[in-house]
């Protein structure tokens, strides 16, 4: 479950940038996302806009020195691991959609992978399935 300031925009952005497929969209009377679901390969991502007071990791960094410090590294901090079949194609798609690329494609044990950040600052770790 991932919180977004703008859950409706997140559904669209995650579809375009990461190729996730929206399966559920429930909104409040004022049009906010109360619950959304997206398929990510064999996995399920749930997301919502929890309260008007919620701030994304990106906005949290703007007002919190500690959050700025822990975000200086390219590692996944409170992020999501997603297995993909075509890492090169996925990487190109994410980059073209404006994802912040935290690391280029790395090779070696335990497999091929890259790291990216979405438009609200959530971090994602994409890992290519071993086809051996």
């Amino acid at each position: 479950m991932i919180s977004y300031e703008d859950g409706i925009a997140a559904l669209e952005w995650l579809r375009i940038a990461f190729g996730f497929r929206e399966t559920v969209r429930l909104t409040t009377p004022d049009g906010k996302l109360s619950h959304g679901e997206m398929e990510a390969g064999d996995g399920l991502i749930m997301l919502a806009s929890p309260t008007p007071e919620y701030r994304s990791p990106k906005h949290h960094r703007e007002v919190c020195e500690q959050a700025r410090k822990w975000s200086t590294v390219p590692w996944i901090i409170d992020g999501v691991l997603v297995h993909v079949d075509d890492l090169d194609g996925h990487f190109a798609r994410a980059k073209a959609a404006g994802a912040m690329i935290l690391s280029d494609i790395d090779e070696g044990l335990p497999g091929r992978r890259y790291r990216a950040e979405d438009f609200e600052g959530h971090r994602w770790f994409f890992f290519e399935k071993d086809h051996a």
Side-chain angles (χ1 to χ4, degrees), residues 1-65:
M1 182 72 166
I2 303 174
S3 296
Y4 281 90
E5 289 178 32
D6 188 341
I8 300 294
L11 289 169
E12 184 66 12
W13 195 92
L14 293 168
R15 180 187 63 77
I16 292 168
F18 296 155
F20 299 165
R21 190 173 73 78
E22 181 181 331
T23 58
V24 175
R25 179 188 295 214
L26 303 173
T27 57
T28 61
D30 64 351
K32 302 275 186 205
L33 184 68
S34 61
H35 179 78
E37 294 183 6
M38 301 190 87
E39 289 180 347
D42 295 334
L44 175 70
I45 305 293
M46 291 190 283
L47 54 144
S49 296
T51 69
E53 294 77 26
Y54 172 76
R55 292 297 171 256
S56 68
K58 182 178 177 180
H59 286 139
H60 187 189
R61 289 192 299 255
E62 293 171 357
V63 297
C64 177
E65 178 66 24

Side-chain angles (χ1 to χ4, degrees), residues 101-119:
I101 303 300
L102 299 171
S103 67
D104 286 327
I105 293 176
D106 293 325
E107 309 239 3
L109 293 175
R112 299 181 75 229
R113 68 257 179 211
Y114 80 94
R115 299 168 192 89
E117 194 172 275
D118 68 28
F119 76 109

Side-chain angles (χ1 to χ4, degrees), residues 73-81 102 114-117 123-126:
V73 297
W75 313 120
I76 304 306
I77 301 161
D78 295 327
V80 182
L81 169 68
L102 299 171
Y114 80 94
R115 299 168 192 89
E117 194 172 275
R123 291 187 170 194
W124 299 83
F125 183 69
F126 295 100

